[in-house]
Amino acid sequence: MSNGDSLWILLPTGQRASGEWIDDTLHSRASEQGLLDRLTQVAAFPRQRVEVVRGPNAEGQVNEMFYRRGWADGLPIVPPTMARVDAMLRGGGQPRNTVLGEAQPLQGLVTVEKVAINAVMAGCEDCHMPFVLAAAQALIEPEFNLRGVQTTDENVTPLLMLSGPAAKTMHMNSRFGALGPGWRANAAIGRAVRLIMHNLGGGWPSAVAFAGLGQPGRYTLCLAEDEEFNPWESLREELGFAADDNVLVVQRAESVVNVTGGLDDLASVMASATSSFSRLHGGTVAVVVAPYVAKLLADEGRSKAEVKAYLHENSKMTAAAFEKTWIPSRLAGQTKAPRWVREALAAGGVPAVEKPEDITVIVAGGDIPIPQCAYMPTWGFPSCRIAKKIDLPQGWSPVTEI
Amino acid sequence: MLRASAAAEAAGVPSSSLVCDGFLGQGATTAVGLGLPNLPMAKVPGHVDTQTDNELRDNLTSVTVNAVIENLTAAQPAAVMIPEPGPQDVVMEGSFDEINRFFYENGWSDGLPIVPPTRAKIESFLAFTDLPTEHVIGKLLPDNREATVWNVAVNGVMAGCKPQYMPVLVALAEAMADPGYGVEHSGNTPGAETLITINGPIIKDLEFNYEQGALRDGFMANTTVGRWWRLYLRNVAGFILHQNDKGTFGNTWRVVLAENEDALAKIDWPPHSADFGHARGDNVVTISRFTGGDVIASVFGQKPEDMLPYLADALISQSGWQLIFTVGMADGSYTPMLVLSPILAETMAKAGWSKGDVRQWLFENARIPAWKFEQYIVEFTNFYSGGRSMFELAQLGKANELYGVSKDPDRLVPLVCDPMDIQIVISGDPGRTNAQVFSHNGILGFPTARAIRLPNDWKNKLTGAQ
């Protein structure tokens, strides 16, 4: 028999419908880009579902091995043992072999089991699985344009916003530090989504993904809409769902821009060149309004729709300034701005987005009088605000038994 | 990017995609995603925005133009094969339970315990063939994986076969790889299952059961060779449930059916292998895919004329949707099988009937009204929805002329196009008046035979093994 630990692990990486493993393509790309000095074991793994790792410190071995194979995000991962994955699958309530679709660009099949494996690696609790599944389904919707997101030179990443009563019970943070570290749901669910993009879609940075800088949101970008501090209808109700539904809303987001202040400060940021891509591609941006600002606005009797209209109206960039921004000036004459942009410029200034409804507004953050709002610009075609209602399995419990 | 090129290639028009240096990696990946991993690309050195006209002209003429010419004129290499563990790699070390768990979780087992394929055990199988270990028997769809002597042996060990069964296994792998058999259909929706029959002195050499209980487990040769067949379909051809194997219900491995050569000799009827050009005394395996069929119990009668109507009725009652392989989807590829116990065959032979006579009688009398035939292939199943009657199909030459004799819907038509399409095998309890009918899966598992090659010194090797 074996000495020390014996870990039975399931492999997280993608296999196409044809049976090919995406790591073989990735090996070629990584080699061309000089990544194999660091990722020394790319494509060097048994082409199987299960691998057995033995010996003292097997968990540590798996962690190191996965990093060298290119399957991690740079932080330690939780080795996806069969037992852990089985528990994660129970948490999700879906059969393991169900195929949800293919992850672009390398077309690894997104099966429920592979989602669970990456969710375990990310540090998810079993009760997070229904949310990870919903996010995975959103990613592979054509309107999300996963191929674009994975391969562009822009720094775009999925933005996950949870609207619903489960957010509180599963401790997804919507208050102080909602976009920062410390809360497992925010950290792990967003990280699981990134690992799925990485391991099933093959979006390895500098091998397939050529984002110039990327952004910290590519580790995780996940928060909940606050219920108590929201004076208006919830995001899920705006989108036609019921108050007691749990809805995950997914958009494409460039880096989060911090805005200390209120609507005018937000509008000023939105008017700047940060909104270049929504002016080129159209699309849906997101605004997080601090509780303090939300209360002020509500006390003034302003509805959410009025807030959006205000931001839209005041996010205008003049034609003179617009011509100087990178895209129109570099691609002068070669790329036509969308008609709404040209018409707006002719009329005096182009807003960040085509219409107020293209702004997603949620209330989140700590309740302090120096309000921390945020603006997430967008990138890419087509306009994308994907809402997935979470069907919680029978007996779902937000508390994981130890 | 590259979508226009992909569209051109898909339309059969060669393309060359000009890609700037910095985007080559992206291009390669995008090409994969577009389903064309080797989409030809021509490098444009540097970045076009930053070069002077002269620099750009030099770069294009010295580098890019050549690449474009090659893209448009040279054959592209085929896409890379999926790397798998090497055939002789050790995939796992551990206890019996651990190996079994590992194999099961990796999809290499049928759910029963397998015998761990160790090198020593595999080599004991290799001793029973004179073919070299790396000899490639063929390539099996859908995975397009090579069937080799080595992997035949590995699966033989796993199935619990004895080493001396190896010549049978090799012949079966050869039959599986025969394009005429159509192994690529083995995951089809109806889920018909292969029946292996075996003829020749090897039946007794390897102690195959050919008498009472011929289709039941209990004898190692019949049982383990049958099990090997499905393990081989799984591990080499690549049929995995919920993936490539789409049988609605499926069925599972049948034990090998060995024909009763003694009974055949007694009545001087040819062996089943004679249908494929072999003679009594040849060691032969045949394969074809059948659905369940039924036992025909208590075939009563002292003369063939008394017994055969019941057997004809059995062929009729067991032939339904399968008739699409006689007319509609294929032309005369339906070949049902009738297994007769020796006493039934002896009774017929005693009356002077040959096997050919029996086939002829059944061909002429196992007939159904044309409207009933059409009901199966059109109204019940919608398998044939061309809108033409059998008569019209026969007129157009798309069905055997037997089906176009008249337009009368009540005219009786045969189940098959030729008496030889009714396969007859002699086996089972020699003293019981039972028969068995198997309905056949047509071109999607067409009867295929292979001679079994014995190694030099077979007899001595066999004695040594026992």
Side-chain angles (χ1 to χ4, degrees):
Chain A
M1 285 297 286
S2 50
N3 296 321
D5 307 326
S6 197
L7 290 184
W8 292 65
I9 53 171
L10 296 177
L11 303 189
T13 192
Q15 241 188 316
R16 300 196 190 106
S18 58
E20 293 158 329
W21 297 79
I22 67 172
D23 302 67
D24 295 309
T25 305
L26 287 161
H27 185 272
S28 305
R29 301 289 84 78
S31 173
E32 286 156 10
Q33 298 297 323
L35 302 178
L36 298 183
D37 291 343
R38 178 176 55 96
L39 305 177
T40 53
Q41 294 175 33
V42 173
F45 63 92
R47 305 309 166 98
Q48 289 151 202
R49 177 175 169 258
V50 172
E51 189 179 353
V52 180
V53 177
R54 294 200 215 267
N57 191 28
E59 294 250 336
Q61 270 187 72
V62 171
N63 188 49
E64 180 67 15
M65 198 168 74
F66 274 31
Y67 177 62
R68 298 293 171 191
R69 289 178 182 173
W71 294 344
D73 60 359
L75 290 167
I77 51 91
V78 177
T81 62
M82 288 176 63
R84 288 185 181 128
V85 175
D86 285 351
M88 183 66 69
L89 286 166
R90 283 193 294 275
Q94 297 296 322
R96 69 175 73 223
N97 290 324
T98 305
V99 178
L100 302 176
E102 294 177 334
Q104 301 294 343
L106 296 192
Q107 301 173 309
L109 289 179
V110 181
T111 65
V112 169
E113 184 172 86
K114 290 281 184 184
V115 170
I117 295 168
N118 283 281
V120 168
M121 286 169 66
C124 288
E125 295 174 23
D126 302 340
C127 65
H128 296 163
M129 181 68 172
F131 302 86
V132 180
L133 278 170
Q137 285 170 311
L139 283 188
I140 59 185
E141 293 280 347
E143 88 193 75
F144 186 76
N145 190 3
L146 183 59
R147 174 183 291 135
V149 169
Q150 296 260 57
T151 57
T152 180
D153 41 65
E154 293 300 307
N155 303 312
V156 58
T157 200
L159 165 64
L160 311 179
M161 295 169 282
L162 181 63
S163 174
K168 207 160 177 188
T169 55
M170 64 193 262
H171 304 293
M172 189 179 281
N173 191 9
S174 63
R175 303 226 171 140
F176 280 98
L179 283 174
W183 276 251
R184 195 181 269 159
N186 302 58
I189 293 172
R191 193 184 183 210
V193 165
R194 174 53 52 177
L195 288 176
I196 287 164
M197 291 169 67
H198 186 90
N199 286 326
L200 301 181
W204 290 16
S206 193
V208 165
F210 289 98
L213 278 176
Q215 52 151 308
R218 287 188 169 200
Y219 282 96
T220 184
L221 187 59
C222 176
L223 78 166
E225 174 186 44
D226 197 82
E227 295 281 306
E228 214 189 291
F229 290 134
N230 180 21
W232 303 300
E233 69 276 27
S234 66
L235 178 58
R236 64 194 178 282
E237 286 165 297
E238 260 192 280
L239 298 176
F241 295 91
D244 57 4
D245 286 336
N246 291 298
V247 179
L248 187 70
V249 178
V250 180
Q251 298 185 187
R252 296 186 297 264
E254 300 230 294
S255 296
V256 180
V257 182
N258 186 66
V259 179
T260 305
L263 288 192
D264 287 322
D265 304 90
L266 276 165
S268 141
V269 165
M270 290 172 73
S272 75
T274 62
S275 302
S276 286
F277 278 98
S278 46
R279 295 190 180 107
L280 182 65
H281 293 155
T284 313
V285 299
V287 166
V288 181
V289 175
Y292 186 80
V293 171
K295 182 165 197 310
L296 279 176
L297 292 168
D299 288 347
E300 287 168 16
R302 290 158 86 165
S303 69
K304 199 192 263 195
E306 285 167 338
V307 165
K308 292 185 185 189
Y310 186 86
L311 288 172
H312 177 255
E313 179 61 26
N314 290 284
S315 67
K316 287 182 179 161
M317 175 184 272
T318 64
F322 183 76
E323 292 308 313
K324 288 214 204 91
T325 61
W326 180 272
I327 289 160
S329 67
R330 299 291 295 191
L331 301 175
Q334 287 159 37
T335 300
K336 236 190 193 169
R339 178 190 302 187
W340 68 270
V341 171
R342 286 179 273 130
E343 287 171 356
L345 287 170
V350 53
V353 288
E354 188 178 350
K355 40 193 198 316
E357 296 73 50
D358 294 333
I359 306 171
T360 303
V361 171
I362 60 169
V363 177
D367 182 23
I368 42 173
I370 305 176
Q372 305 298 305
C373 301
Y375 171 53
M376 286 83 135
T378 191
W379 169 92
F381 299 105
S383 187
C384 155
R385 179 192 288 136
I386 300 171
K388 290 286 182 198
K389 180 174 151 194
I390 315 288
D391 283 319
L392 294 173
Q394 274 249 9
W396 180 84
S397 162
V399 176
T400 299
E401 306 291 324
I402 297 183
Chain B
M1 62 195 304
L2 301 177
R3 286 198 299 276
S5 307
E9 294 278 354
V13 176
S15 71
S16 173
S17 305
L18 274 60
V19 184
C20 286
D21 242 319
F23 287 91
L24 280 170
Q26 216 165 334
T29 311
T30 306
V32 170
L34 290 167
L36 293 163
N38 296 309
L39 195 64
M41 281 176 264
K43 179 164 88 166
V44 176
H47 196 302
V48 292
D49 282 1
T50 58
Q51 299 175 42
T52 64
D53 283 356
N54 284 332
E55 282 170 347
L56 188 56
R57 186 176 302 113
D58 287 343
N59 273 327
L60 288 173
T61 51
S62 63
V63 177
T64 313
V65 164
N66 295 329
V68 170
I69 292 170
E70 211 196 297
N71 283 173
L72 295 174
T73 56
Q76 294 304 313
V80 175
M81 274 284 287
I82 311 159
E84 291 189 315
Q88 305 207 16
D89 288 353
V90 172
V91 295
M92 176 67 170
E93 291 180 12
S95 68
F96 177 85
D97 284 346
E98 286 175 323
I99 305 267
N100 261 284
R101 183 183 180 204
F102 189 74
F103 272 50
Y104 179 63
E105 295 292 345
N106 278 318
W108 301 334
S109 158
D110 54 11
L112 290 168
I114 51 96
V115 177
T118 60
R119 176 173 298 281
K121 290 204 159 93
I122 297 165
E123 283 172 0
S124 70
F125 277 63
L126 298 175
F128 278 92
T129 179
D130 289 339
L131 290 167
T133 307
E134 334 70 54
H135 172 77
V136 175
I137 291 166
K139 269 198 173 181
L140 297 178
L141 290 171
D143 276 7
N144 211 29
R145 200 176 275 116
E146 286 181 344
T148 62
V149 165
W150 175 268
N151 63 29
V152 167
V154 170
N155 283 275
V157 172
M158 288 168 67
C161 293
K162 288 188 173 160
Q164 55 264 40
Y165 303 168
M166 183 67 174
V168 178
L169 304 181
V170 171
L172 285 171
E174 290 172 355
M176 192 191 277
D178 186 328
Y181 173 66
V183 68
E184 64 271 20
H185 304 295
S186 298
N188 69 355
T189 304
E193 207 59 42
T194 307
L195 178 68
I196 299 167
T197 64
I198 187 165
N199 280 109
I202 199 170
I203 292 174
K204 291 191 175 166
D205 289 346
L206 297 180
E207 297 176 60
F208 278 89
N209 178 27
Y210 54 89
E211 298 177 308
Q212 180 260 317
L215 284 167
R216 182 163 280 169
D217 60 69
F219 282 75
M220 194 180 282
N222 308 61
T223 309
T224 60
V225 172
R227 188 194 181 197
W228 173 91
W229 180 262
R230 282 219 62 82
L231 281 174
Y232 207 69
L233 278 176
R234 161 180 289 273
N235 289 328
V236 184
F239 286 103
I240 313 286
L241 287 179
H242 301 191
Q243 294 178 38
N244 276 325
D245 187 343
K246 299 287 193 196
T248 306
F249 307 104
N251 210 311
T252 198
W253 46 269
R254 294 196 169 96
V255 300
V256 171
L257 178 62
E259 204 168 21
N260 190 325
E261 305 255 328
D262 295 340
L264 290 170
K266 209 159 101 181
I267 59 177
D268 197 25
W269 274 19
H272 183 227
S273 56
D275 283 3
F276 306 92
H278 297 277
R280 191 179 312 141
D282 289 347
N283 290 316
V284 178
V285 283
T286 72
I287 54 171
S288 39
R289 288 179 71 211
F290 296 99
T291 61
D294 204 356
V295 167
I296 317 306
S298 188
V299 181
F300 183 73
Q302 291 86 47
K303 305 198 305 291
E305 296 89 338
D306 299 331
M307 301 152 66
L308 285 168
Y310 181 22
L311 295 175
D313 179 84
L315 282 171
I316 290 170
S317 68
Q318 296 304 315
S319 301
W321 64 269
Q322 298 89 342
L323 295 172
I324 193 68
F325 297 116
T326 299
V327 174
M329 184 185 287
D331 185 14
S333 72
Y334 178 51
T335 62
M337 179 184 281
L338 180 60
V339 185
L340 298 173
S341 65
I343 192 172
L344 293 176
E346 280 158 20
T347 308
M348 296 176 196
K350 210 162 38 172
W353 287 51
S354 70
K355 181 164 153 179
D357 293 335
V358 174
R359 286 168 122 155
Q360 184 66 34
W361 194 98
L362 289 170
F363 171 72
E364 282 167 12
N365 292 280
R367 298 204 168 198
I368 57 176
W371 67 263
K372 185 69 187 166
F373 196 118
E374 280 166 344
Q375 190 176 54
Y376 277 121
I377 66 175
V378 181
E379 184 197 324
F380 284 171
T381 63
N382 203 36
F383 271 147
Y384 178 72
S385 52
R388 292 199 170 98
S389 69
M390 280 203 303
F391 173 79
E392 288 165 326
L393 288 175
Q395 295 290 300
L396 290 165
K398 292 184 184 301
N400 191 290
E401 60 192 5
L402 293 163
Y403 296 89
V405 163
S406 88
K407 282 190 193 178
D408 178 9
D410 291 321
R411 73 193 186 282
L412 293 179
V413 292
L415 305 176
V416 296
C417 295
D418 189 286
M420 288 296 284
D421 290 342
I422 300 169
Q423 305 188 60
I424 295 183
V425 172
I426 310 305
S427 193
D429 189 322
R432 304 280 159 154
T433 53
N434 279 12
Q436 175 103 25
V437 173
F438 288 102
S439 325
H440 176 240
N441 201 194
I443 43 169
L444 309 179
F446 201 67
T448 306
R450 271 298 180 285
I452 301 169
R453 251 177 304 198
L454 296 175
N456 284 332
D457 210 25
W458 166 245
K459 285 295 180 193
N460 282 334
K461 288 194 159 126
L462 200 53
T463 319
Q466 280 154 353

